[in-house]
Amino acid sequence: MALSIYSDKESPAWRIIEHLQRRGSSTIKELEELLSVTTTAVRQHLGTLQADGYVERRQVNTGVGRPHHIYLITPSAQELFTCHCDDLALTLLQEIYALEGIAKTQLLLKRVGDRLADKYSESIQATVLQERVEELAGALNNRGVLTDVQEADNNTILLKTYNCPYHDLAQHDDEICQMDREMIRQVLGSDVELDSSIMQGDGCCSFMISGDRRSKCNSA
């Protein structure tokens, strides 16, 4: 299947990939409910995704009853979520590090983070923290970053991202993750900690945002 077909965010193929990216794995029954189609239709979509190398099937033995199969996305599917400027950005970052050293490289990343914060801040209109987080999540989703907002307690909100737009770049430099955290802090005007990371093998990047969910705040 042509790569351009996967750019259709409403297609069954993309909805399956996005669901698996968020959930980690799924059964055929769960995908039937997701797409509201028959088992046969789900199997056809999965067959195409497997043939294209984006989905794999794995047998699960639970110890009770018969083994069953689950479906997961492959590392190749990460390419569908990654910014295709990664190779250029990585090369530039390496050259700046070689020519100017770590201090200048960190300064560059800070300035990039500041620019990203300015860009995302344009989508933030609310003053209440909970609403600001939800607006940021919407802006991230619009830019291809799969994002959810969860309420941990009255003083903590979790912003979870299920794919990294800088995947290849972040694998070479963990400063990218800190740039992302600082960008979110600037946009929201609240303390942010990176609690889990895709780069560390976790299923998502989880940002813990501290502050009263209903309180008003100003961006930093």
Side-chain angles (χ1 to χ4, degrees), residues 10-172:
E10 300 302 321
S11 70
W14 180 261
R15 292 179 65 193
I16 289 173
I17 288 175
E18 181 175 316
H19 179 77
L20 295 179
Q21 180 76 9
R22 290 178 181 272
R23 293 286 302 276
S25 66
S26 194
T27 64
I28 285 182
K29 181 64 176 177
E30 289 168 343
L31 294 174
E32 285 179 42
E33 296 173 356
L34 172 72
L35 300 176
S36 298
V37 297
T38 65
T39 301
T40 300
V42 170
R43 290 187 184 279
Q44 288 175 341
H45 292 307
L46 288 172
T48 300
L49 289 165
Q50 287 178 273
D52 288 344
Y54 294 132
V55 168
E56 66 176 345
R57 186 176 72 166
R58 186 176 301 171
Q59 182 172 295
V60 176
N61 298 301
T62 60
V64 179
R66 298 176 58 185
H68 66 279
H69 290 99
I70 59 173
Y71 293 83
L72 310 90
I73 61 170
T74 66
S76 296
Q78 294 291 345
E79 292 295 322
L80 301 176
F81 297 99
T82 301
C83 170
H84 294 291
C85 62
D86 258 12
D87 286 345
L88 174 61
L90 177 58
T91 302
L92 287 172
L93 198 63
Q94 290 171 333
E95 287 300 313
I96 293 169
Y97 180 83
L99 292 171
E100 302 291 345
I102 187 169
K104 288 290 182 67
T105 305
Q106 290 175 335
L107 176 61
L108 172 66
L109 289 174
K110 180 183 183 305
R111 294 184 65 173
V112 171
D114 290 345
R115 283 179 175 265
L116 288 171
D118 288 342
K119 182 173 294 186
Y120 280 111
S121 292
E122 294 173 359
S123 302
I124 309 300
Q125 303 297 323
T127 57
V128 174
L129 180 58
Q130 177 73 31
E131 296 171 1
R132 292 174 67 83
V133 176
E134 291 171 353
E135 286 180 339
L136 176 57
L140 289 167
N141 274 309
N142 288 338
R143 293 180 182 272
V145 183
L146 305 182
T147 310
D148 282 338
V149 177
Q150 298 179 7
E151 299 174 6
D153 54 48
N154 286 336
N155 296 311
T156 307
I157 305 170
L158 297 180
L159 180 72
K160 294 188 174 184
T161 59
Y162 296 90
N163 62 298
C164 178
Y166 326 111
H167 187 266
D168 292 342
L169 192 58
Q171 287 182 319
H172 289 82

Side-chain angles (χ1 to χ4, degrees), residues 113-114 117 177-187:
D114 290 345
C177 297
Q178 296 308 315
M179 178 193 75
D180 217 24
R181 181 194 64 79
E182 176 62 16
M183 180 274 290
I184 292 172
R185 186 198 68 79
Q186 288 188 53
V187 172

